[in-house]
Amino acid sequence: MIFTDYELTYLKSQTLGRLATIGPNGPQLTALGFSVNDDGTIDIGGPALSSSQKWRNIAANPAVSFVVDDMTPDEPGAVKPGWGRGVEIRGEAELLTGHAPPSYGGSWFSDEVIRIRPRRIRSWHLDPEQVQYNRDVA
């Protein structure tokens, strides 16, 4: 499995992430929705996706970073309450056309998907036994 149980539970509980790509004028960071596939890849959809700058950036350079994070809730059992927590995924993105968009998308989403294949994962404040976890997965 690419993600730990803690990471997978966290990712499936979130709806918003940030995709970093490298464009002709430097980095671009975009907030967007996502879904986690059973094989550990991440799918990103959107309206007219292939006409977006992030699509063009990935076509030129498939190296990406994707971050999902928030503040740890101040509740019993939480790891580091009041601190940040999250998952950073570094990997390569693949551009898919003629592909059904993720289920979180509406009818305005195009039949295109950006699929991220994780290579390195960093997570923090999710697992009470391991506060930070960094590893290569491919």
Side-chain angles (χ1 to χ4, degrees):
M1 189 67 184
I2 290 178
F3 296 106
T4 67
D5 289 341
Y6 286 102
E7 291 165 344
L8 193 56
T9 297
Y10 176 73
L11 288 171
K12 288 187 174 189
S13 75
Q14 302 298 306
T15 58
L16 184 66
R18 291 166 200 77
L19 176 67
T21 61
I22 302 296
N25 299 315
Q28 178 190 13
L29 187 64
T30 307
L32 35 68
F34 70 97
S35 61
V36 180
N37 299 314
D38 291 340
D39 66 356
T41 57
I42 304 289
D43 279 358
I44 295 167
L49 197 57
S50 64
S51 65
S52 69
Q53 183 62 52
K54 62 187 160 287
W55 187 278
R56 290 189 299 275
N57 291 349
I58 291 167
N61 181 351
V64 298
S65 181
F66 186 67
V67 175
V68 178
D69 65 337
D70 67 353
M71 297 304 294
T72 305
D74 189 8
E75 59 188 36
V79 179
K80 298 283 189 180
W83 291 42
R85 65 180 177 176
V87 178
E88 176 190 9
I89 301 158
R90 295 180 189 180
E92 291 187 12
E94 158 181 26
L95 303 174
L96 305 174
T97 58
H99 192 284
S103 60
Y104 66 84
S107 61
W108 62 93
F109 273 29
S110 57
D111 64 347
E112 302 153 330
V113 169
I114 295 171
R115 178 162 292 159
I116 300 171
R117 297 193 179 283
R119 302 290 183 243
R120 180 155 183 79
I121 296 174
R122 176 178 170 260
S123 62
W124 59 98
H125 302 155
L126 300 176
D127 181 346
E129 300 298 318
Q130 191 158 0
V131 176
Q132 290 193 25
Y133 195 31
N134 300 295
R135 68 204 181 278
D136 293 326
V137 294

